[in-house]
Amino acid sequence: LRTFHELNLLVAIGPAYQQEEKLKKIINKYDLYNNVTIHKGKNFLAPIMNQTDAAITSGGTIMCEAIDICLPVLALPSINHEVDAINSYRMGILAESIPCDVNSIGNEELKIIIKKFISSQSLRKKIFESQLKFESFSGVRDIANYIKNNFLSK
């Protein structure tokens, strides 16, 4: 992960995520604390997401917000209903994800998944391009761009 020192990464985790301490240890072990910001249980992340290149989130609302603003996202569902919800996003190449609850996989497998997402610019570009073509609700992209251009960039 060190080779990607120019990548700014937002890690947004929900209240059900059980691996926060392990995640922080990995970030510290690889000296990534200048490039990775963890946000837990936040409701409005748009200003933060606006400043990042990619996001790793749980599979809830934050993931949908990232997709709507065309931010490549790796979704790590932390509860069972998120696994099912994320499937359609993954199949539409709107997000990268794992096919199970993140708490049910091992640390080594999780490291490989995260490293693949971070190191593959082509994967993130493919997700971004699919997100550009996607409109979840009429006008959402226009509203997001208006907010971004008029309030977040100043």
Side-chain angles (χ1 to χ4, degrees):
L1 296 177
R2 290 182 200 209
T3 58
F4 309 102
H5 62 277
E6 71 283 350
L7 185 70
N8 292 314
L9 190 64
L10 163 70
V11 180
I13 55 178
Y17 184 69
Q18 299 172 5
Q19 305 296 325
E20 182 178 3
E21 289 308 312
K22 288 181 183 179
L23 182 61
K24 287 178 180 178
K25 285 179 184 177
I26 292 169
I27 291 168
N28 287 328
K29 179 180 178 182
Y30 293 102
D31 295 325
L32 296 172
Y33 40 85
N34 290 326
N35 304 79
V36 178
T37 305
I38 297 175
H39 295 274
K40 184 173 183 174
K42 301 264 179 150
N43 290 330
F44 186 66
L45 291 174
I48 298 163
M49 285 194 253
N50 187 46
Q51 300 173 19
T52 63
D53 302 305
I56 298 175
T57 75
S58 62
T61 304
I62 296 168
M63 177 197 68
C64 295
E65 290 173 6
I67 290 169
D68 280 338
I69 65 168
C70 298
L71 182 65
V73 61
L74 171 61
L76 302 175
S78 59
I79 49 181
N80 287 336
H81 80 271
E82 289 179 349
V83 175
D84 296 332
I86 290 170
N87 250 352
S88 60
Y89 291 106
R90 188 174 64 240
M91 293 175 74
I93 316 171
L94 298 169
E96 181 65 19
S97 182
I98 57 174
C100 59
D101 181 328
V102 70
N103 299 306
S104 68
I105 64 172
N107 289 340
E108 291 305 314
E109 186 178 357
L110 186 58
K111 285 180 193 177
I112 291 167
I113 292 165
I114 292 171
K115 184 174 182 179
K116 176 187 170 198
F117 177 74
I118 292 172
S119 64
S120 178
Q121 183 179 18
S122 63
L123 172 63
R124 292 190 317 274
K125 182 178 179 185
K126 188 175 183 180
I127 292 168
F128 173 76
E129 289 171 347
S130 293
Q131 290 170 337
L132 283 175
K133 296 174 188 171
F134 175 75
E135 288 198 35
S136 59
F137 299 102
S138 177
V140 167
R141 181 104 353 96
D142 292 337
I143 293 167
N145 285 331
Y146 180 82
I147 291 169
K148 177 180 174 183
N149 293 332
N150 291 290
F151 299 104
L152 302 179
S153 60
K154 295 180 181 184

